[in-house]
Amino acid sequence: MKLLMLGGTEFVGRAIAEAALERGWEVTVFHRGRHAAPEGAASLIGDRTAPDGLAALDRGSWDAVVDTWSAAPSVVRDAARLLADRVGRYAYVSSRSVYAWPPAAGLGEDGPLVEGSPDDGDMPYAEAKRGGELAAGEAFGPDRTLLVRAGLILGPYENVGRLPWWLGRIARGGPVLAPGPRTMPVQYIDVRDLAAWTLDAVAAGLSGPYNLVSPPGHTTMGGLLDACVRATGAGADLRWTEPEALLAAGAAPWTELPVWLPPGEMYDAMHTADVSKAVAAGLRCRPVEETVADTWAWLESLGGVAPQRPDRQGAGLTREREAEVLAALPKD
């Protein structure tokens, strides 16, 4: 297989490019040159947002292209139109955020969607991803377009700061504010499992939308944080706290306490997706312990400091905020 990766030097794109190289695929990475391409991949340099920024893609043909773009849909539109006659299939890594709010618990791929347009410029995240889906489908047609609607993505190379924050915090030890209940299921996808499934789907000629996160019950908040304690070997004391107490103390779900959401609409939207279609198409998810341990090993190789996307705000409580929240909790 000849694969063109639009991006391919960070997080999801890099994981997909490396997975394709491990399969012996011929991989070309189109990127801005800010980070090194994976070893073994050919590089094409260009900035999709600049005038004539796609010039490096004027020639060449590939079996498939994978695109992770998450900003202006018109950028996806321009690339897809340019490549439509020289690439077999277009896989667009989208998001479950494209479902209209509030998504029902257990929502499948047939749920109502937000509005979007392939011609839009910069838009809010959900509308941008939906516009990207429409742009890819418009150029390649429904039978040649795969829409990978990922949920929460974790694992090595993460540059958003969620699992790296938990690992860093737990590695410091001491009392750690742990959002409960510890038995609450959480859904996420290891970036390497996303990569493997996407490449399998491309090779099999799959098309249309697929929700891509772990099946319900794959792990819990307790399973995730316990795995962090074991991976780091830290003497952390997880202080499990019920949602009502956390909210009353002013702790912000998702941003200050990454991954965690209290019961309600947000939780249903993020952690209860129906992924039976992807599972039937071969989705396999590695144990949470492996995701956490490998992410910790990667972090240690970087001196404990993960890269951070400039367009995403860093996640997690500061030391001062954690101390404030712990102090505000009811005393036993």
Side-chain angles (χ1 to χ4, degrees):
M1 292 282 287
K2 293 178 62 180
L3 176 71
L4 172 62
M5 190 73 225
L6 300 181
T9 63
E10 295 185 276
F11 199 21
V12 176
R14 190 173 196 92
I16 294 173
E18 289 186 350
L21 289 164
E22 289 172 3
R23 296 176 180 217
W25 291 17
E26 183 180 322
V27 178
T28 301
V29 174
F30 174 79
H31 61 112
R32 288 173 288 192
R34 297 177 180 175
H35 304 87
E39 185 176 353
S43 277
L44 295 175
I45 303 299
D47 183 345
R48 299 172 67 174
T49 64
D52 203 29
L54 296 174
L57 295 177
D58 283 342
R59 298 179 182 178
S61 61
W62 295 269
D63 297 304
V65 57
V66 177
D67 189 358
T68 63
W69 187 258
S70 57
S74 59
V75 174
V76 179
R77 175 201 65 197
D78 293 345
R81 287 178 179 175
L82 178 65
L83 297 167
D85 295 333
R86 294 180 286 118
V87 176
R89 315 191 68 78
Y90 203 109
Y92 180 62
V93 180
S94 185
S95 167
R96 293 190 61 254
S97 296
V98 299
Y99 295 112
W101 190 262
L107 188 69
E109 289 82 358
D110 58 351
L113 303 169
V114 300
E115 296 293 325
S117 167
D119 301 318
D120 281 335
D122 289 332
M123 299 290 290
Y125 183 77
E127 288 78 6
K129 280 296 193 183
R130 179 56 184 153
E133 290 187 350
L134 294 169
E138 177 187 80
F140 276 73
D143 294 336
R144 293 198 296 146
T145 304
L146 174 69
L147 304 177
V148 183
R149 289 178 178 163
L152 172 64
I153 306 172
L154 303 176
Y157 302 137
E158 188 196 331
N159 57 1
V160 183
R162 296 181 179 121
L163 183 52
W165 182 83
W166 276 116
L167 284 162
R169 171 61 194 93
I170 287 172
R172 292 205 314 265
V176 177
L177 185 65
R182 68 187 316 278
T183 57
M184 178 177 283
V186 295
Q187 279 185 311
Y188 70 93
I189 185 76
D190 186 298
V191 68
R192 296 163 297 177
D193 297 332
L194 181 155
W197 186 89
T198 300
L199 295 177
D200 287 344
V202 165
L206 300 186
S207 59
Y210 286 82
N211 290 334
L212 209 72
V213 280
S214 55
H218 180 69
T219 196
T220 62
M221 201 69 208
L224 178 68
L225 297 194
D226 287 346
C228 290
V229 173
R230 289 191 294 271
T232 60
D237 174 19
L238 298 180
R239 301 284 180 89
W240 288 103
T241 306
E242 291 303 304
E244 297 80 9
L246 287 169
L247 296 175
W254 195 257
T255 53
E256 289 191 320
L257 294 167
V259 180
W260 177 76
L261 292 165
E265 285 183 347
M266 285 289 291
Y267 177 85
D268 290 346
M270 185 57 64
H271 291 307
T272 69
D274 178 1
V275 294
S276 55
K277 184 179 176 184
V279 170
L283 175 63
R284 299 294 180 267
C285 295
R286 69 194 66 208
V288 65
E289 292 82 5
E290 184 177 338
T291 298
V292 170
D294 291 350
T295 304
W296 178 241
W298 166 70
L299 275 176
E300 286 194 300
S301 75
L302 300 177
V305 181
Q308 179 68 44
R309 281 180 57 161
D311 61 337
R312 298 291 181 90
Q313 184 176 356
L317 290 158
T318 64
R319 297 188 189 205
E320 295 76 17
R321 276 289 294 142
E322 184 180 25
E324 288 175 6
V325 174
L326 283 169
L329 295 175
K331 302 298 186 288
D332 294 335

